[in-house]
Amino acid sequence: MNYTTVIGLECHVELSTKTKAYCSCSTEFGGLPNTHVCPVCLGLPGALPVINKEVVSRAIKAGLALNCNITPYQRYDRKNYFYPDTPKNYQITQQALPICTDGWVEIDTQQGKKKIRIERIHMEEDAGKQLHTKAGTLVDYNRAGVPLIEIVTRPDLRSKEEATAFMTKLRAILQAIGVSDVRMEEGSLRVDLNVSLMPEGSETFGVRAEIKNLNSFKAMEKAVAYETQRQAQALAQGEEMLEQTRRWDEACGQTLLMRSKEMANDYRYFPEGDLVGLAIDDEWIERVRATLPELPHDQAERFVRDYGISAYDAMVLTQERAMAQFFDEAAALSGDGKACANWLMGDVSRLLNEEAKTAQELTFTPKDLYDLTVLIAEGTISNAAGKKVLEAMFHEGKKPQALVESLGLAQVSDEDELLREVQKALDANPKVIEDYRNGKTKIVGFAVGLVMKATKGKANPSIINRLVSEEVEKRARQ
Ligand SMILES: [Zn+2]
């Protein structure tokens, strides 16, 4: 039987506020263990939490950008569990009344645009970190109490490609609105998958498995593929399907069973009595709405309209805020969006990937890229030399004009000088003219190659092409 894969996502997003969700401790990443702590986030008796308004504003901002309704009355709940990384033995979260509901994100699929519904966004807090050493397990509470939002989708995704398209879009939006730095490798964006199968054509969902511990889009895709296969096999063998929690194991490339439903935790949610209820009025929502920047999909549409680049290129360029801004500035300066897009999506992206860097870390400016395109368009350097200049700009952060000089890449466009090179090459290879007379007109290309080689690629190729054609023609008639 053929099955359809049904996927829902739960994304945990660390908010990049300066202070924690319920105390004034710093949220900065990488401090010495247990230096960003206080009685509140350590859960000491008698310490009372206070709502960080900025966390609420950022959750509202995410909700507005993701087309959600904002719940006017906020209530917080306790999720109880005993584990060393949770000093209070409960997490302050929102169970009954999430701050945002019923939103959507539009993604591009092979079948066209598709809306992925968002069920809810709620505020919660992070736990501490455990470090397992030979001497025993150590706990660092610096992360305990760092604000998170959890974004839960409806089970609207049908393939690993759709899951990645959704996550790419979600990450771009959250980065653009500045609520989080959404770095999966640093754990500020984490995703859990719900995967189930249903017979093709059916509308009844199967029993789902929840997959945890996915730390990259690649891992997410591999986990979807593995789960689809595992569940199809289990169904084919007539196994009884039970809800279960599994985790992705990168080393063995499999999902492994953590617990089945009978062993599921009972969190005994109840209202958080230490925090007051919170009303969010329209004025607050409108104040936040006014801070929303141009969102990635609107920006992509503008790039297509204003700079004449393809929808695909615009989509790729708007996946990262810094890259989109860089392109916007460079294209506005040069008026040649296609050239800028080609440089950024080609050589610049390749160099960034090689060094595992983001566009934010580029050491040259949009003006520098524009200057480089001018140097090529005016014929000062060839396109091939341009690539060398770009690499040097990337590594050394120097200006393109200075690099053209220091690398000796300036193109020779002086026609008299180039004609002498052409004549020298033809004098040394008399067979070229002979072949040409015998109808082998393609030999002209060979002669161009000879001159380019003799001038070490610095000759202006369009001038050389013309001069070689003219000179060969002239000599062939003599
Ligand atoms: Zn604290």
Side-chain angles (χ1 to χ4, degrees):
M1 195 187 294
N2 285 333
Y3 293 102
T4 303
T5 310
V6 177
I7 306 163
L9 300 174
E10 291 171 18
C11 314
H12 299 261
V13 181
E14 220 169 62
L15 300 177
S16 50
T17 51
K18 285 198 178 74
T19 56
K20 292 187 180 180
Y22 308 107
C23 62
S24 54
C25 289
S26 167
T27 56
E28 214 175 308
F29 184 77
L32 279 174
N34 299 309
T35 51
H36 302 164
V37 290
C38 73
V40 174
C41 56
L42 285 177
L44 300 186
L48 289 172
V50 177
I51 296 169
N52 180 345
K53 260 192 156 180
E54 181 59 22
V55 171
V56 182
S57 287
R58 286 184 187 221
I60 295 173
K61 200 170 181 179
L64 292 175
L66 301 173
N67 309 295
C68 292
N69 299 324
I70 309 299
T71 310
Y73 179 75
Q74 299 301 305
R75 199 192 80 186
Y76 296 84
D77 300 289
R78 286 188 184 182
K79 178 179 177 178
N80 296 282
Y81 67 101
F82 289 83
Y83 203 65
D85 64 3
T86 311
K88 293 199 293 276
N89 291 330
Y90 59 82
Q91 179 194 35
I92 301 176
T93 180
Q94 294 189 298
Q95 168 72 354
L97 285 174
I99 184 162
C100 313
T101 56
D102 300 318
W104 50 266
V105 168
E106 196 170 64
I107 59 165
D108 291 301
T109 71
Q110 282 179 330
Q111 291 78 40
K113 290 193 184 304
K114 179 173 174 181
K115 267 186 190 172
I116 306 303
R117 291 170 300 159
I118 290 174
E119 184 184 323
R120 58 186 280 157
I121 302 176
H122 60 259
M123 296 181 282
E124 55 182 34
E125 57 177 337
D126 217 339
K129 256 188 205 165
Q130 293 188 83
L131 197 72
H132 305 288
T133 70
K134 275 183 192 157
T137 297
L138 305 170
V139 193
D140 174 9
Y141 289 122
N142 282 355
R143 209 180 60 184
V146 165
L148 296 174
I149 50 174
E150 182 175 338
I151 301 170
V152 183
T153 76
R154 300 264 176 197
D156 288 346
L157 299 155
R158 292 290 175 270
S159 66
K160 58 183 197 291
E161 289 79 16
E162 287 188 11
T164 296
F166 174 84
M167 287 304 293
T168 306
K169 193 73 180 278
L170 179 72
R171 185 174 63 178
I173 293 172
L174 295 174
Q175 193 187 51
I177 63 174
V179 296
S180 168
D181 53 18
V182 281
R183 289 202 183 135
M184 251 181 150
E185 62 283 7
E186 280 180 18
S188 58
L189 173 64
R190 307 194 285 267
V191 59
D192 297 339
L193 275 173
N194 288 311
V195 183
S196 66
L197 296 188
M198 63 180 178
E200 229 170 58
S202 164
E203 284 183 4
T204 312
F205 292 150
V207 178
R208 67 185 196 180
E210 187 181 352
I211 323 295
K212 296 186 172 291
N213 196 37
L214 301 156
N215 54 11
S216 68
F217 289 2
K218 273 235 165 67
M220 181 178 74
E221 291 201 359
K222 285 193 268 184
V224 171
Y226 180 84
E227 261 316 288
T228 302
Q229 204 191 7
R230 183 191 70 80
Q231 292 185 23
Q233 214 166 20
L235 287 166
Q237 287 166 356
E239 263 179 50
E240 190 193 355
M241 302 298 280
L242 293 170
E243 262 191 43
Q244 48 182 234
T245 306
R246 305 177 70 89
R247 72 181 173 84
W248 173 248
D249 188 301
E250 186 66 46
C252 67
Q254 293 177 355
T255 65
L256 304 174
L257 182 67
M258 285 169 77
R259 55 179 180 264
S260 58
K261 193 158 189 205
E262 301 89 82
M263 290 160 67
N265 294 324
D266 178 359
Y267 295 117
R268 296 183 183 278
Y269 286 98
F270 64 81
E272 164 62 74
D274 285 344
L275 286 172
V276 292
L278 184 68
I280 299 178
D281 56 15
D282 289 347
E283 199 198 323
W284 190 350
I285 295 173
E286 291 317 311
R287 218 167 41 232
V288 173
R289 197 192 303 277
T291 66
L292 279 177
E294 182 182 36
L295 295 175
H297 34 274
D298 297 327
Q299 199 175 34
E301 276 176 19
R302 178 168 62 80
F303 287 176
V304 171
R305 201 173 56 232
D306 290 2
Y307 302 129
I309 61 172
S310 73
Y312 174 80
D313 288 1
M315 190 265 289
V316 173
L317 287 166
T318 50
Q319 278 174 9
E320 197 196 329
R321 192 59 164 181
M323 181 61 94
Q325 278 170 345
F326 196 104
F327 168 78
D328 203 0
E329 271 181 59
L333 275 170
S334 80
D336 188 351
K338 277 180 194 153
C340 294
N342 286 343
W343 280 108
L344 290 172
M345 291 170 63
D347 292 76
V348 175
S349 293
R350 174 179 57 79
L351 290 164
L352 286 172
N353 280 339
E354 279 171 12
E355 309 241 321
K357 283 184 176 168
T358 66
Q360 220 170 355
E361 296 164 271
L362 284 173
T363 50
F364 60 91
T365 64
K367 172 77 165 53
D368 295 337
L369 183 66
Y370 160 64
D371 288 341
L372 176 65
T373 62
V374 170
L375 288 169
I376 296 168
E378 286 177 347
T380 310
I381 53 170
S382 66
N383 211 46
K387 285 173 182 283
K388 286 184 193 157
V389 173
L390 182 91
E391 286 214 17
M393 281 160 67
F394 183 88
H395 293 297
E396 299 163 33
K398 288 186 190 148
K399 299 290 163 201
Q401 294 88 339
L403 286 164
V404 167
E405 276 173 42
S406 65
L407 297 171
L409 291 170
Q411 192 161 254
V412 181
S413 297
D414 178 335
E415 294 215 9
D416 293 337
E417 196 185 333
L418 292 176
L419 184 58
R420 277 194 295 280
E421 290 294 336
V422 171
Q423 287 167 338
K424 235 194 309 183
L426 292 177
D427 289 345
N429 297 276
K431 206 169 169 295
V432 169
I433 304 302
E434 205 178 300
D435 284 353
Y436 187 81
R437 283 194 186 118
N438 293 331
K440 290 185 187 166
T441 50
K442 279 188 185 157
I443 198 77
V444 171
F446 168 74
V448 168
L450 286 175
V451 181
M452 293 305 287
K453 205 170 158 193
T455 53
K456 298 196 175 74
K458 281 194 250 171
N460 183 320
S462 61
I463 298 178
I464 290 296
N465 263 308
R466 179 166 54 78
L467 292 178
V468 169
S469 300
E470 287 170 3
E471 190 65 16
V472 168
E473 186 72 22
K474 196 171 114 193
R475 290 187 180 201
R477 286 191 188 163
Q478 281 168 359

